[in-house]
Amino acid sequence: MNNRLLKPAHADDLITMMAAEKFVLPVGNRTKAPLSASADAALISLGAFRGIIEYEPSEFTFTARAGTPIADIQTALAEKGQYLPFDPMLVEAGATIGGTAAAGLSGPGRFRYGGIRDFLLGARFVSGDGQTICAGGKVVKNAAGFDLPKFLVGSMGRMGVLLELTFKVFPKPSALRTLRVQCDSHTQALARMAKAACSRWELDAIDYRPGERSMVLRLAGPARAIESIDHEIGTTWGEDVAELPLADTFWQSVNELNWSAPGAAAVKVPTTPPQCIALHQGLAGEEAIAMHGSVAGNVAWLLVASTDGLAAVDRQLQVMNIPGLVVRGTYDTPYLGVWQSPKIQQAVQAAMDPPAKFLSLYRHPRPPAQVN
Amino acid sequence: MSSVDGLASIYPPARFLRDAAFQAAFESDGLTAFRAKPLAVVIPESSEDVIATVRWCHDHGVPFVARGSGTSLSGGSLPVADGIVIALNRLNQILELRAAERIAVVQPGVVNQHVSDAAAPHGLVYAPDPSSQSVCTIGGNVAFNSGGAHCLKYGMTSNHVLGCKSVLATGEVVTLGGPSAESVGPDFTGLFCGSEGLFGIALEITLRLLPKPEMFHTVLVGYQSLQAAGDAVSAVIDAGLLPGALEIMDALAIEAAEAAVACDYPEGAAAVLIVELEGPREKIDVEREQLEEVLKKTNPFAQRVARDEADRLFIWKGRKSAFSAVGRLSPDFLVQDGVVPRNRLGEALVRIEQLSQEADLRVANVFHAGDGNLHPLIMFDGKQAGALERAEALAARLLRLCIEMGGSITGEHGVGMEKRQFLPEMFDAPTIALMDRMRQAFDPKRVSNPGKMFPGKEADVLSSSGLHPLEKAGVISRE
Ligand SMILES: Cc1cc2nc3c(=O)[nH]c(=O)nc-3n(C[C@H](O)[C@H](O)[C@H](O)COP(=O)(O)OP(=O)(O)OC[C@H]3O[C@@H](n4cnc5c(N)ncnc54)[C@H](O)[C@@H]3O)c2cc1C
């Protein structure tokens, strides 16, 4: 196994190192281990590519190097009363901004304004042939040229090595409040989620714990305003509504993917709200699996405490004909369920990476994806 | 030509048009500066028709251009001479509207406004609102990643497209993205949005819907200088507010709007600012106080809050009519849509003023101030010898100014035919080369809308200038 970790100090270094390798895989802080592991690629660490390059609060934009820990960015933004509305995940675990974009992960708060794809404005990256590409822009609105930055979201280091990213940010809401709404069936929960999602309330997050049949709503805005909306939600669903104690801890456990079985494998499954419920029901017999539905049923997060459990998830996703991505834990492949692989995908990969330096998408070399 | 017979056999005669009158009707788009005569215009009524047409074009190496309503302002839907125009207006069905999931699946010829109309009974709205929304199509919006007046808060078209089934230029049919707001793998949907028709034709588009804001709070503010209006925008942003819209018009644009629609803007204003807050009423109650505090400190000389919905629309009327109104002040004009960083707006406007004087051409400014998206309208009289050339030279200087300031050559109108020679000024050679390889991956034969976005001589055209025919008829106006 060739798991050498190369540590370029700057872009030229990185390009030289890339040229000398047969296969490369860029990695950040490896908080999404299954995506940063390969039997035959040299790992290129972006650890030295760290720091915010530009931050213009009145522009609502910043540019940071790919290896910058998100925690650093959050601190800088908070000082100016701003935040990342896509609600980054695994921040405590040490996620970097580049790794988060490449993995395409957004948290529950993406419900309100959109995911990481919606906030990425521009990117500097190295293509497979060692060219430095500067795509997108540094302004909040731009329609020139193909949207390569967006395409890199979710590309998992298989399309280019991100060096710098420019994001749009928003003013941070001054107050938050979290409510739990107890439901007596999934059907009722689906109806309530839909009502909440289409309401005038402008909720920040709508999540669902199917195991407990409880819907969790986060309100964000001026304190006076959320007070009144809270009251209206209380009137709407009566005794089923209660303020969630220790809300910060709750949301943190969702974003860090450790609300159950710490250290368990974690799987992301994009869903429609009915699919979210169907997935839960399809896995009902599995003891080792805990599910959290997020973004009003648009994503199911599964914490899976055993390899057998992952195999069960894989089977269930096959049945449902949808894909899932293992973002933490050990399994044969990070790609569960069914991934479409149209011809165009190979042509595009060849365009981004003429010498085929990167791993090919959705084909994962075995044995197991584990790096220490 | 026997080769066209093969294509003709896909369509009944009434939907395969080759006579001169029809070709003339399709020879131009919203950028009337360019014209080209297609070989034929086809009118598909199903996805299958479109797929068969694209496959035929690919097999025979005949270029094609998808066309929605032809309102592109950058020559995007301009036909390719001796190519096929695929007119998509009859693919106008909203296939599904799942209110509980907040999505709609639509055909490409669906008119933008019709999506919001269909969503309205469910309290939902399709957020992107180009001012051509009463006629432009979702297919055109997707191809151009179109914007509108609400982009700072809501983003552009691509932020509201979850998936799209398309026939690529090779004839391959792909389903990119899907009904979920989340996804795994590279964002092909995001890549397709804004590809200006160079990758293929969108057949079924899944859109994200949002709850309609409960309430609007619209304020019209008059300033004695453009600089003061620009500074006010920064003050609003710095206060932590996130308005749905922040729009500025300069004196010339106000004069034009006043003459056209008597919008009753503050007399003698060098600039007006429109700020619109939106959201739940409780939130607006708090934010309107904040906004009032902020605006007080920006030296306005006049200020007016919309009393009700009718009054709000009246305030917007001046803004929305600005473009066609300028069309009355001047026989011809060119409009640009470059972007500058918001806090350099003031500086950009001063430079535009200087350049306009140097060129001896009047420029009216109307812009989406919240996102730094300028819309300078360069006025000229096409009948004067050399006037068009001077106007184009000035437009080029303005685009370069945007690039120098770290902005973009286009915020929402796309590169198209009009700005293709500027793309390499905004992106360096390796980036252009990669974009070209991407295009090659989707369209190895270069049959899908050739001649657009990339500089070169892939398509020859004729030129002239003026208002879009629909604007002249008073059907639409631009922001
Ligand atoms: C008065 C006026 C006001 C305007 N205001 C705005 C504004 O506020 N904001 C803004 O962003 N734009 C604005 N525009 C520009 C224009 O309306 C938009 O670019 C719009 O998206 C074009 O839609 P359309 O249906 O007319 O497309 P067309 O002009 O017919 O086509 C535009 C491009 O899309 C391609 N295309 C069309 N359908 C498809 C498809 N199904 N698949 C792939 N490619 C396709 C075409 O080949 C072409 O390249 C305005 C235009 C006018 C005339």
Side-chain angles (χ1 to χ4, degrees), chain B residues 185-201:
Chain B
D187 195 338
F188 275 89
T189 314
L191 179 64
F192 193 89
C193 287
S195 58
E196 301 203 359
L198 270 64
F199 289 169
I201 301 185

Side-chain angles (χ1 to χ4, degrees), chain B residues 288-322:
Chain B
R288 63 187 294 170
E289 290 169 17
Q290 265 175 288
L291 179 64
E292 210 169 300
E293 283 302 307
V294 176
L295 290 177
K296 236 189 245 165
K297 296 185 199 129
T298 59
N299 276 327
F301 80 93
Q303 188 170 329
R304 183 160 100 67
V305 176
R307 290 179 306 274
D308 51 26
E309 184 60 15
D311 197 29
R312 168 176 173 252
L313 296 179
F314 186 63
I315 289 179
W316 274 107
K317 194 170 175 190
R319 171 64 185 81
K320 298 240 174 198
S321 73

Side-chain angles (χ1 to χ4, degrees), chain B residues 400-441:
Chain B
R400 295 205 168 97
L401 177 70
C402 293
I403 298 173
E404 281 158 32
M405 291 189 140
S408 171
I409 55 175
T410 172
E412 55 183 20
H413 296 168
V415 178
M417 187 70 157
E418 180 204 35
K419 293 182 280 284
R420 58 183 182 165
Q421 74 271 30
F422 296 95
L423 198 72
E425 297 192 29
M426 185 162 158
F427 298 111
D428 61 10
T431 305
I432 295 282
L434 175 55
M435 288 186 190
D436 194 53
R437 288 206 301 273
M438 288 297 252
R439 174 188 176 196
Q440 187 84 18

Side-chain angles (χ1 to χ4, degrees), chain B residues 56-76:
Chain B
W56 182 89
C57 287
H58 176 256
D59 290 347
H60 293 82
V62 175
F64 63 88
V65 179
R67 184 175 173 109
S69 296
T71 64
S72 162
L73 292 174
S74 55

Side-chain angles (χ1 to χ4, degrees), chain A residues 58-59 110 117-118 134 141-143 146 150 153-154 168 171 197 200 228 268 271 298 342-344 351 362, chain B residues 102 152 158-159 172 180-183 185-187 214 238 282 341-343 368 373 408 410 412 431 435 437:
Chain A
S58 65
E59 216 51 63
R110 71 97 69 219
R117 73 183 293 271
D118 299 303
C134 221
K141 195 174 186 187
N142 169 30
F146 298 140
K150 231 182 226 91
V153 171
K168 172 162 110 167
R200 68 173 199 93
S228 149
K268 171 183 172 177
T271 55
N298 278 270
K343 267 197 252 152
I344 187 60
Y362 316 147
Chain B
R102 299 203 322 196
L152 178 64
S158 72
N159 303 109
E172 183 185 358
S180 175
E182 271 290 332
S183 63
D187 195 338
E214 182 187 14
D238 290 342
E282 301 89 340
R342 186 175 38 235
N343 52 20
H368 305 305
N373 192 186
S408 171
T410 172
E412 55 183 20
T431 305
M435 288 186 190
R437 288 206 301 273

Side-chain angles (χ1 to χ4, degrees), chain A residues 118-372:
Chain A
D118 299 303
F119 287 86
L120 181 62
L121 301 172
R124 228 156 76 85
F125 64 95
V126 178
S127 54
D129 53 353
Q131 296 288 325
T132 306
I133 309 296
C134 221
K138 290 199 165 175
V139 282
V140 294
K141 195 174 186 187
N142 169 30
F146 298 140
D147 199 342
L148 300 175
K150 231 182 226 91
F151 180 65
L152 290 171
V153 171
S155 65
M156 302 175 290
R158 271 88 171 150
M159 291 283 170
V161 183
L162 287 163
L163 299 177
E164 289 170 15
L165 303 99
T166 301
F167 280 92
K168 172 162 110 167
V169 297
F170 277 164
K172 199 179 167 124
S174 53
L176 297 175
R177 181 169 302 181
T178 300
L179 305 176
R180 182 172 56 204
V181 185
Q182 195 54 46
C183 304
D184 39 67
S185 66
H186 295 314
T187 314
Q188 186 189 51
L190 272 178
R192 286 178 170 183
M193 269 197 279
K195 184 178 166 79
C198 298
S199 73
R200 68 173 199 93
W201 303 325
E202 292 197 346
L203 297 171
D204 191 54
I206 301 178
D207 282 28
Y208 181 57
R209 280 283 164 80
E212 300 153 21
R213 302 214 186 345
S214 65
M215 174 166 82
V216 185
L217 307 177
R218 186 163 72 204
L219 290 65
R224 190 143 55 95
I226 63 177
E227 186 73 39
S228 149
I229 292 171
D230 172 2
H231 183 77
E232 184 171 300
I233 295 172
T235 322
T236 308
W237 291 314
E239 284 181 357
D240 290 341
V241 186
E243 183 160 359
L244 186 78
L246 301 174
D248 289 351
T249 317
F250 173 86
W251 291 114
Q252 192 185 327
S253 74
V254 175
N255 287 56
E256 296 300 317
L257 296 172
N258 61 10
W259 72 87
S260 148
V267 183
K268 171 183 172 177
V269 185
T271 55
T272 61
Q275 280 173 339
C276 188
I277 300 300
L279 178 59
H280 172 74
Q281 289 169 331
L283 294 169
E286 301 291 331
E287 302 250 312
I289 302 177
M291 180 168 145
H292 179 94
S294 201
V295 196
N298 278 270
V299 60
W301 288 104
L302 301 166
L303 293 186
V304 187
S306 73
T307 308
D308 284 353
L310 282 169
V313 173
D314 199 0
R315 280 194 304 275
Q316 179 61 26
L317 296 180
Q318 305 266 358
V319 170
M320 294 175 70
N321 198 26
I322 54 175
L325 184 68
V326 186
V327 300
R328 191 175 62 209
T330 306
Y331 197 58
D332 279 2
T333 164
Y335 312 120
L336 305 185
V338 181
W339 292 66
Q340 307 295 338
S341 190
K343 267 197 252 152
I344 187 60
Q345 189 178 289
Q346 288 142 43
V348 164
Q349 183 146 22
M352 294 292 282
D353 181 19
K357 283 273 165 195
F358 302 124
L359 301 177
S360 67
L361 265 184
Y362 316 147
R363 241 173 279 133
H364 203 71
R366 293 163 198 240
Q370 167 110 67
V371 179
N372 295 308

Side-chain angles (χ1 to χ4, degrees), chain B residues 31 100 118 154 228 272 292 346 360 375 397 435 461 470:
Chain B
L31 183 77
Y154 294 105
V272 292
E292 210 169 300
D360 194 21
H375 284 325
R397 306 242 358 221
M435 288 186 190
V461 288
L470 288 173

